[in-house]
Amino acid sequence: MIISDEGLSEAASKLPFLEELEISICPISKHAVETIGRSCPLLRSFKFNLQRCKGYVCDDEAVAIAQTMPELRHLQLLGNGLTNEGLQAILDGCHHLEYLDLRQCFSVRLVGNLERRCVERMKNLRHPCDPPHDYEFSAEDLDFWFYPSD
């Protein structure tokens, strides 16, 4: 099912006690992410997966998460276009984060202080190059979403 930014924002505004949310293979804007964060202050787990095709680079959604979801404990961003700057923002804004999944976030380079910070803080850290074998959607699903046949 595909949902619009407006539909997702409207639904989130009616769910202030929401603690877990998963959005997969559904492009939404940073504004919708911000609305979710502001409307659902108890959000503890956010899965925002396979959002962009390979080569897409953008920290907008990462910054929106950092600014509006301070209570997150679990964050999965499989296939997101964030960079080290976006990851830094998340680490700075989400102080309770203990599970971080960055698989297929190929613009993130976990090195130096950033890697140390992640390793020290996270109880469970999935690196960008870790295999996504346990993820329920396949690469073919992603290819269909971004490259539909005519």
Side-chain angles (χ1 to χ4, degrees), residues 6-133:
E6 296 80 19
L8 183 58
S9 296
E10 183 180 333
S13 70
K14 296 176 182 177
L15 300 167
F17 298 109
L18 188 69
E19 292 186 17
E20 295 181 20
L21 179 61
E22 180 173 352
I23 301 171
S24 294
I25 313 178
C26 185
I28 61 169
S29 72
K30 72 172 185 165
H31 301 293
V33 173
E34 290 169 343
T35 300
I36 292 165
R38 285 192 205 103
S39 300
C40 307
L42 302 178
L43 197 63
R44 302 291 187 264
S45 177
F46 187 43
K47 296 179 179 181
F48 189 43
N49 297 317
L50 297 173
Q51 297 308 303
R52 308 287 184 209
C53 55
K54 196 171 186 176
Y56 176 81
V57 177
C58 182
D59 286 318
D60 291 349
E61 295 94 354
V63 171
I65 290 167
Q67 293 176 343
T68 64
M69 301 181 186
E71 298 301 319
L72 282 182
R73 270 64 174 171
H74 183 280
L75 180 59
Q76 186 177 66
L77 295 172
L78 200 142
N80 192 281
L82 82 159
T83 68
N84 285 10
E85 289 77 22
L87 177 56
Q88 186 71 44
I90 289 169
L91 294 173
D92 291 343
C94 303
H95 300 286
H96 304 292
L97 200 61
E98 52 190 35
Y99 175 93
L100 181 60
D101 188 343
L102 298 169
R103 289 177 293 168
Q104 297 189 356
C105 293
F106 296 119
S107 295
V108 170
R109 302 288 179 255
L110 285 181
V111 295
N113 287 336
L114 186 60
E115 180 181 32
R116 182 184 50 76
R117 238 182 123 186
C118 288
V119 169
E120 288 175 358
R121 273 193 51 196
M122 299 305 143
K123 291 181 181 177
N124 192 335
L125 175 64
R126 308 290 293 271
H127 291 78
C129 291
D130 287 349
H133 57 76

